[in-house]
Amino acid sequence: MAKIAYILLCHKDPQGVIDQAGRLTAAGDFMAIHFDARASKADYEAIRTALAGNPSVVFAQRRIRCGWGEWSLVQATLEALYAAVPAFPRATHFYMLSGDCMSIKSAEYAHALLDGESVDYIESFDFFASDWIKTGIREERLIYRHWFNERGRKAWFYRSLEWQKKLGLARKIPEDLQIMIGSQWWCLRRLTVEKLLQFVAARPDVTRFFRTTWIPDETFFQTLVRHLVPGSEIRSRTLTFLMFTDYGMPVTFYDDHYDLLLAQDYLFARKLSVDARRLKEQLGSLYTATGMAFPVSGEGRRLYQFQAGRGRLGRRYAPRAWEAGTSLGRDRVLLIVVCKKWHIAKRLVARAREMAGIEGVDYLFNEDNCPLPDLGGIESTPDKRMRHRRALLKLLSESFRSDRMMICLDPESFDLIRDFYADRSEIRLLDIVCDFSDAYLRGHALRVGLAGEHTPPEVMAGLLPTLRHDMIFEAERLRDAGLPGYERVWQSAEPGANLLPLARFLGISEAQAREILGDGTLFQD
């Protein structure tokens, strides 16, 4: 059975490091920690003291002062490997992590995945043929020497580069290596790691070359693994879910991303916000859990790319990608009452709450003054509710402490209905088919501002057929959508005809449904 030795590079949050080490080793795995030499010595001592009694944790013997884009990150990783390989002879895999990573699957799931195939997981794409690099210098990373950090000493970084170009100081790449590139977050088999460390010891020329390349943590291990291991034994992917913006900045995950993260085809996620306390608590107990199923949908990257693209076109208004990815939860039921006559739907929700104990809210996406509990401001305006709609419903459900909740929607909210049907929760819909007299249509025209008190009668007469057709269209569109859990009741039907559809929709007995329908007053205008 697979045993994982985690290679943890970290530089902050000592308590987070201690907690992470405790969680991951509690399931029988191991950890080697490199704590940045730039970080606080007191923090490092606190970590060592807290983990001194844990035999499944070791520390790199030498702490390196790490800088982004520098060889120091590779050297720190090697130092952790030098400590881990002899300390954990039972480790079958070595998994690279940062302090910003957390597990999004259980150890049971991770071990089964690694046992399923004897391969290395590391992104490894041809440096020159791929488009992995999105911004910044490309070939210059390799053929020129980089002694200055572009982030800390930007002027000298580019000055040095220009001087080398002018003086013709381009260097050759080691002839026997095909330079590869990819994410630094890998998972390698023990034999691969042992071969790699032997190669590093035997080839100081290769180490010397990579010491002055730019961002070598994206090329060093990726190149050497491809050089040492047959391609058939490499899966060119990472097992850590991470994304970058078009500008090369990591996408950060927050409290409302729990369901989305669990649905991704990865074992860990990076990078979690320091403020995502609830998310960290939820994920914290996940690694040692047993018997859990993790259905994978894998939509995270597509959602982000789609929404980022909409933003480029000025069409970002609507739920953001991550908010759309928020789920009510697989065990919850959302009951949607669709009715053009709002007073009828509100009456139904009130009766269901009173007679069947089913919590519900009225037209929360349509009315400013819809009564809602305090949810931290997300409920303050219809626009904000719409932008955060799934997160809002999840918070409402948690506020009601119920796995069933009703909401009212206008039939014109078809796209909103389709969006809720894309959720992982169970959705049921009750379509209340209403009768629309001319008097009602005139009142509707006044309420929505299509007509005023002084609208000429002939104009109103021409408007009514259009309004009636529009309402018929909305009703037919909903019926033709073929949505699961769809039920229909009619305003003009005999009370007995509506019993079964209402009982199925609410999940109650026919007797309770009869009580809610009452003597016909439910549908009174």
Side-chain angles (χ1 to χ4, degrees):
M1 177 178 156
K3 291 283 185 182
I4 305 169
Y6 290 102
I7 306 300
L8 180 67
L9 299 194
C10 47
H11 65 279
K12 60 182 180 180
D13 188 14
Q15 189 57 51
V17 173
I18 294 165
D19 292 343
Q20 191 178 38
R23 283 192 300 267
L24 297 182
T25 58
D29 291 317
F30 313 102
M31 179 173 286
I33 299 174
H34 178 276
F35 196 71
D36 195 333
R38 294 179 187 270
S40 161
K41 183 178 180 181
D43 285 351
Y44 177 62
E45 292 302 326
I47 295 170
R48 292 207 66 137
T49 300
L51 298 175
N54 190 333
S56 297
V57 175
V58 296
F59 291 83
Q61 290 188 2
R62 189 160 64 108
R63 292 173 64 199
I64 308 296
R65 294 174 61 85
C66 296
W68 185 88
E70 298 177 3
W71 167 258
S72 55
L73 287 174
V74 177
Q75 186 62 53
T77 307
L78 290 172
E79 293 296 330
L81 285 173
Y82 292 143
V85 170
F88 307 127
R90 293 168 54 218
T92 60
H93 294 77
F94 295 80
Y95 195 122
M96 177 82 166
L97 285 179
S98 79
D100 293 323
C101 297
M102 282 199 76
S103 59
I104 57 175
K105 298 289 187 295
S106 63
E108 184 179 69
Y109 183 99
H111 295 158
L113 175 71
L114 297 179
D115 282 334
E117 231 184 339
S118 181
V119 294
D120 297 306
Y121 293 91
I122 181 168
E123 279 191 351
S124 182
F125 304 102
D126 188 281
F127 184 94
F128 298 100
S130 73
D131 63 347
W132 200 87
I133 299 174
K134 302 299 182 185
T135 60
I137 60 176
R138 298 174 68 87
E139 184 183 24
E140 294 89 342
R141 288 192 185 192
L142 303 176
I143 64 173
Y144 296 108
R145 298 166 179 83
H146 301 276
W147 296 285
F148 304 100
N149 191 300
E150 193 261 354
R151 289 190 172 181
R153 305 177 72 181
K154 191 169 186 175
W156 278 106
F157 179 91
Y158 287 105
R159 192 175 295 157
S160 168
L161 182 59
E162 290 305 314
W163 285 350
Q164 290 181 73
K165 287 181 179 179
K166 288 179 180 178
L167 295 173
L169 297 180
R171 60 178 175 174
K172 290 184 178 180
I173 296 169
E175 293 183 357
D176 59 332
L177 295 183
Q178 178 186 5
I179 304 299
M180 310 299 286
I181 191 167
S183 166
Q184 72 179 106
W185 311 109
W186 38 253
C187 178
L188 304 177
R189 294 168 295 174
R190 183 180 194 90
L191 182 59
T192 301
V193 169
E194 290 173 345
K195 286 181 179 178
L196 189 147
L197 296 181
Q198 291 168 6
F199 184 88
V200 169
R203 292 289 301 272
D205 60 310
V206 171
T207 303
R208 196 160 47 245
F209 171 79
F210 279 103
R211 277 183 182 277
T212 51
T213 60
W214 181 233
I215 320 183
D217 53 301
E218 293 179 353
T219 53
F220 180 78
F221 293 100
Q222 297 77 1
T223 298
L224 296 195
V225 170
R226 183 68 66 171
H227 182 72
L228 297 169
V229 176
S232 60
E233 297 180 18
I234 297 174
R235 297 294 174 264
S236 190
R237 57 159 297 188
T238 175
L239 293 177
T240 298
F241 181 55
L242 69 160
M243 296 186 294
F244 291 90
T245 69
D246 292 348
Y247 306 103
M249 300 301 293
V251 173
T252 303
F253 301 110
Y254 295 92
D255 280 342
D256 55 349
H257 296 155
Y258 178 76
D259 293 310
L260 180 134
L261 290 177
L262 262 61
Q264 306 311 309
D265 187 20
Y266 296 88
L267 302 183
F268 283 78
R270 182 183 190 274
K271 169 176 188 178
L272 273 66
S273 167
V274 293
D275 297 319
R277 296 181 181 88
R278 184 159 57 91
L279 177 61
K280 291 178 180 178
E281 288 176 5
Q282 288 176 299
L283 294 176
S285 59
L286 193 63
Y287 195 71
T288 54
T290 58
M292 289 188 66
F294 294 94
V296 170
S297 59
E299 77 284 3
R301 294 183 189 277
R302 293 193 301 274
L303 281 174
Y304 178 78
Q305 291 166 359
F306 172 81
Q307 197 61 40
R310 302 283 80 70
R312 300 287 183 273
L313 299 173
R315 289 192 277 123
R316 186 138 186 186
Y317 181 82
R320 293 185 179 99
W322 306 126
E323 294 158 353
T326 302
S327 172
L328 278 169
R330 298 181 188 279
D331 298 324
R332 290 193 172 104
V333 180
L334 177 63
L335 306 171
I336 303 175
V337 180
V338 180
C339 186
K340 199 68 180 181
K341 293 184 176 180
W342 293 8
H343 60 281
I344 294 178
K346 291 179 180 181
R347 201 176 289 148
L348 174 65
V349 168
R351 292 188 181 186
R353 183 188 297 114
E354 179 184 351
M355 300 173 185
I358 301 173
E359 291 290 347
V361 291
D362 297 334
Y363 287 84
L364 71 168
F365 297 108
N366 305 100
E367 289 186 303
D368 287 337
N369 58 352
C370 175
L372 293 169
D374 183 1
L375 300 174
I378 194 175
E379 80 291 348
S380 57
T381 66
D383 283 348
K384 187 172 286 189
R385 295 171 209 161
M386 180 68 79
R387 286 198 300 273
H388 305 277
R389 54 210 193 204
R390 294 200 200 178
L392 172 68
L393 293 184
K394 186 171 185 177
L395 289 173
L396 272 173
S397 182
E398 292 173 352
S399 174
F400 290 145
R401 298 182 183 276
S402 173
D403 59 0
R404 283 194 302 173
M405 179 178 68
M406 283 199 303
I407 63 170
C408 301
L409 292 179
D410 191 282
E412 70 179 7
S413 305
F414 185 71
D415 290 337
L416 190 57
I417 293 167
R418 294 299 294 265
D419 182 66
F420 288 143
Y421 263 90
D423 191 81
R424 299 185 188 92
S425 57
E426 180 183 347
I427 310 293
R428 298 183 207 157
L429 188 145
L430 182 69
D431 183 12
I432 302 178
V433 183
C434 297
D435 301 323
F436 301 109
S437 65
D438 286 352
Y440 177 86
L441 293 177
R442 289 190 193 96
H444 178 74
L446 292 170
R447 285 190 295 273
V448 299
L450 291 174
E453 292 180 3
H454 305 292
T455 300
E458 59 273 19
V459 174
M460 182 67 81
L463 181 60
L464 295 186
T466 303
L467 284 175
R468 193 181 302 278
H469 174 76
D470 192 52
M471 293 180 180
I472 292 172
F473 167 78
E474 290 176 351
E476 292 302 310
R477 177 177 60 178
L478 195 59
R479 185 175 67 176
D480 294 340
L483 300 172
Y486 174 88
E487 299 289 350
R488 226 178 184 201
V489 296
W490 282 262
Q491 181 179 6
S492 58
E494 293 295 326
N498 291 328
L499 279 176
L500 276 176
L502 183 61
R504 286 195 296 262
F505 170 71
L506 294 175
I508 59 177
S509 67
E510 287 187 44
Q512 288 176 298
R514 182 176 289 107
E515 187 178 8
I516 291 171
L517 288 171
D519 56 1
T521 56
L522 177 66
F523 295 106
Q524 283 183 351
D525 289 328

